[in-house]
Amino acid sequence: MNSDNQKKRPIILGNWKMNKSLKEGVQYARSLKAAIAGKSGIICGICPPYVFLKDICAVLEGSTICVSAQNMHSEASGAFTGEIAAPMLKEVGCSHVLVGHSERRHIFGEDDFFINDKIKKAISFELVPILCIGETLEEREAGNTKDVVLRQLKNGLRGVGIEVIKCIIIAYEPVWAIGTGRTASPEQANEVHSFIRTILSEDYGKDIAKKLSIIYGGSVKADNTGALIHQPEIDGLLVGGASLELESFLTIIEVLQGVDF
């Protein structure tokens, strides 16, 4: 791997979305904890639905597996029926939170500025925000991938200072490759990751940009993991459907385990 990434450990996060029962989720967490006990070569996490977070955090307490929420509101409290706040996530044991996932942007209409408010709120409560960015198929075919990524990245990080940028993980997820079975080629993904790191270098300095983790998501499976993770600018993976079955997720973890960052 790129020597610039030498001190990094590859990151793998499984996003369950709106799937599983509580019983299934707890059993999965127990089995995952047992399966990767003693493996220190990666950073592993799962993103269960809100209502499972407390139980799963309890199961994983004391392990190296981090628990991430799939979303949060930009305010710490208030009259926002149906929403969840950063301090609530922190209280039940979450360490990370997805922010700006394409399904939040395109299905629920969240814009860059709302997402930026969430990023800053997460940081203020010592949650690690995973900022998700990526273009639609129409935007890619129109040649606008870099324009979209630049806008989402700049707006998402607006007002985030150099002293806290290290707390953020960037996830590049081309919308056209999420849950479609289509995957950006390793070279396509790496090109966008390289572009993202260039922007981060311009805004925060090359040394800091080298240390930031930029992970890829979009129809990640066991059979394309190796090709993706061996790209020099891909620091990990955000896995959707392939994380729902434990054996599939463990296979992906085994591939990452052997990568020398």
Side-chain angles (χ1 to χ4, degrees):
M1 295 301 291
N2 190 326
S3 60
D4 288 347
N5 293 337
Q6 218 166 27
K7 295 183 180 179
K8 294 179 186 174
R9 288 184 294 160
I11 298 170
I12 180 166
L13 296 171
N15 180 13
W16 296 356
K17 305 189 181 185
M18 196 173 69
N19 291 291
K20 295 192 179 297
S21 67
L22 177 58
K23 182 179 179 180
E24 291 169 341
V26 167
Q27 183 55 53
Y28 182 114
R30 286 178 179 148
S31 300
L32 178 63
K33 181 179 179 179
I36 70 169
K39 295 184 178 182
S40 58
I42 61 169
I43 297 171
C44 179
I46 52 177
C47 312
Y50 282 140
V51 291
F52 304 163
L53 289 173
K54 183 177 180 180
D55 296 85
I56 289 176
C57 284
V59 169
L60 296 177
E61 187 175 5
S63 77
T64 59
I65 303 168
C66 57
V67 179
S68 171
Q70 297 177 17
N71 188 34
M72 55 166 263
H73 198 271
S74 62
E75 296 293 333
S77 64
F80 302 100
T81 300
E83 291 292 334
I84 303 293
M88 298 174 182
L89 299 178
K90 191 73 177 176
E91 185 177 5
V92 298
C94 289
S95 57
H96 294 60
V97 59
L98 297 179
V99 180
H101 191 281
S102 66
E103 289 157 5
R104 299 303 311 178
R105 294 176 186 267
H106 296 287
I107 297 175
F108 298 100
E110 296 187 3
D111 64 25
D112 290 343
F113 303 101
F114 187 34
I115 290 163
N116 175 243
D117 287 340
K118 294 184 184 191
I119 291 283
K120 289 185 281 192
K121 187 62 66 177
I123 292 170
S124 73
F125 282 94
E126 299 182 336
L127 288 167
V128 176
I130 302 154
L131 172 60
C132 302
I133 59 178
E135 80 283 9
T136 64
L137 180 60
E138 293 74 19
E139 289 164 339
R140 172 165 279 273
E141 290 181 339
N144 295 329
T145 294
K146 289 185 176 180
D147 290 339
V148 173
V149 167
L150 176 63
R151 187 198 76 237
Q152 292 178 346
L153 185 66
K154 288 277 195 178
N155 288 340
L157 297 179
R158 187 182 300 273
V160 175
I162 197 168
E163 68 283 356
V164 293
I165 185 62
K166 64 183 178 180
C167 302
I168 296 176
I169 296 169
I170 308 296
Y172 170 58
E173 289 196 298
V175 180
W176 50 272
I178 298 175
T180 63
R182 299 180 59 176
T183 309
S185 72
E187 295 75 19
Q188 286 174 320
N190 191 70
E191 180 184 7
V192 179
H193 280 231
S194 180
F195 175 69
I196 292 168
R197 205 174 307 275
T198 297
I199 300 306
L200 294 170
S201 296
E202 292 171 355
D203 290 347
Y204 297 100
K206 187 175 180 180
D207 289 343
I208 289 177
K210 286 178 184 177
K211 296 175 183 177
L212 295 178
S213 291
I214 306 173
I215 65 177
Y216 173 79
S219 293
V220 174
K221 298 179 178 63
D223 60 5
N224 61 25
T225 293
L228 286 165
I229 202 61
H230 280 91
Q231 292 295 314
E233 297 292 351
I234 297 179
D235 300 319
L237 301 169
L238 179 55
V239 187
S243 72
L244 293 177
E245 295 297 329
L246 181 61
E247 288 307 313
S248 172
F249 195 48
L250 288 174
T251 301
I252 295 172
I253 288 172
E254 284 301 319
V255 176
L256 266 67
Q257 188 72 29
V259 174
D260 181 12
F261 270 60

